[in-house]
Amino acid sequence: MIPRLHERTHTPHDSLAEALGRPLSPNEGLTEYTVVAHWPGLDYFTLDDEQRTWTSVQWAEHLEDPYLEHPFAASPDADRQPILHLAVRLHPDDRELTGPEWAEAAHRLARAAGIEIPGKEHGSRWIAVQAQPGRLDLIANLIHLDGAWHTPPADILRRLSDEARRIEQDLHLIPVRTGPTPRPAIRPTPTASAQLASVLTQLAEEQAGPLATVRGLVEHAAHRIARQPGAAGTDTAHRLELVAGRLHAIQQDLDSIAAHMIQPRVAAVPPAARHTAHRSP
């Protein structure tokens, strides 16, 4: 069982689509065989809900709600990307797990990641999706119902790996082979070009850079305006989406420039002198 922690995002739509392996749909209902586990507080939302099966779009909106309800919630580092996405894969030769086994693994990984805290009623919203063979995805919103920001533990990857090893042992799964820890390589002193490229890379950072923050706010505004009735709101939302697209293109251009700056330059090598064979007289 190999855990992988994705880069955090503003909305859960792309994460949920990746977990499902297909685009989100306003018509396709996700049953308990797909959403195998979820945060305990969800029962309060579905208690009086006549529609017992939610569509994938409704699940995404449910996960996104805290972001929209608390527009000023942010991490201690002023991060406004609350969607945490964790994916785990089984060994290709592992047996097929049952629904309860997937659910048990999901709750254990959620507790290891710190997104489920026993006894906390207003914690993170999260769901576990099992839609692809041998794969489980946990998607959570780090903004709590009361607007507080939940900061995952600094050693979250180690905790997830340790818990994955325990799950493998308890469920009799094929363990991941671990090798000796490689020695850290000695890094050379960066050149001026490398330092400038690093600055550009930080500006162009896909998820947490300054341009990413601006793009996320624009996308957020477009998403909110698109929900307003009337053609004027739709046109404005479309224009904002175009602005977000241009910002993303600028990020890609800066990243490409930074990559070009740190490419090693190949010095011109003079052609080797031709050796003339001299025959002995």
Side-chain angles (χ1 to χ4, degrees):
M1 178 177 285
I2 303 175
R4 178 192 175 193
L5 197 61
H6 295 254
E7 292 285 345
R8 294 207 309 273
T9 58
H10 292 90
T11 67
H13 296 73
D14 290 342
S15 298
L16 184 53
E18 181 179 342
L20 294 172
R22 56 185 180 273
L24 303 188
S25 169
N27 302 315
E28 178 192 11
L30 301 183
T31 67
E32 66 274 13
Y33 299 103
T34 300
V35 181
V36 295
H38 52 73
W39 67 296
L42 181 65
D43 295 335
Y44 293 102
F45 290 83
T46 59
L47 185 61
D48 299 324
D49 191 355
E50 295 180 359
Q51 183 181 354
R52 305 299 296 179
T53 302
W54 289 1
T55 66
S56 54
V57 170
Q58 288 174 318
W59 278 113
E61 291 176 346
H62 175 74
L63 291 172
E64 186 184 31
D65 280 346
Y67 181 88
L68 303 177
E69 294 172 359
H70 303 284
F72 300 106
S75 72
D77 298 328
D79 184 3
R80 278 282 292 160
Q81 298 176 4
I83 302 302
L84 182 145
H85 180 195
L86 163 67
V88 293
R89 289 184 180 274
L90 301 184
H91 190 281
D93 296 329
D94 260 321
R95 64 181 177 84
E96 184 176 350
L97 300 187
T98 65
E101 287 176 325
W102 280 121
E104 177 188 349
H107 281 284
R108 291 175 61 169
L109 291 170
R111 289 192 291 270
I115 59 177
E116 178 176 291
I117 303 174
K120 188 173 180 60
E121 297 180 357
H122 302 289
S124 300
R125 294 188 183 187
W126 66 270
I127 62 173
V129 177
Q130 205 287 299
Q132 302 182 59
R135 171 170 173 160
L136 180 71
D137 291 76
L138 270 70
I139 307 172
N141 193 320
L142 298 181
I143 301 176
H144 289 182
L145 299 185
D146 57 4
W149 182 282
H150 172 71
T151 301
D155 58 345
I156 181 174
L157 283 176
R158 182 188 62 79
R159 295 189 183 197
L160 290 171
S161 297
D162 291 345
E163 187 61 33
R165 302 292 81 76
R166 287 189 286 267
I167 293 174
E168 289 171 351
Q169 183 176 3
D170 295 343
L171 299 184
H172 306 290
L173 302 176
I174 299 175
V176 175
R177 294 181 179 178
T178 57
T181 303
R183 295 181 179 180
I186 299 175
R187 297 182 179 180
T189 303
T191 62
S193 295
Q195 292 175 346
L196 292 174
S198 176
V199 174
L200 295 180
T201 300
Q202 294 176 22
L203 289 173
E205 212 286 324
E206 183 73 16
Q207 302 297 337
L211 290 178
T213 301
V214 175
R215 180 165 60 91
L217 292 173
V218 173
E219 291 174 345
H220 181 203
H223 186 74
R224 293 292 296 272
I225 293 175
R227 293 185 175 182
Q228 303 298 321
T234 302
D235 179 66
T236 301
H238 178 66
R239 293 175 61 187
L240 287 173
E241 289 174 354
L242 293 177
V243 171
R246 290 197 293 270
L247 286 170
H248 188 243
I250 292 173
Q251 287 179 271
Q252 292 178 323
D253 288 342
L254 289 175
D255 189 64
S256 176
I257 293 172
H260 178 73
M261 291 176 66
I262 60 176
Q263 286 181 353
R265 298 182 179 181
V266 180
V269 178
R274 294 182 179 180
H275 296 281
T276 304
H278 296 279
R279 293 184 179 179
S280 301

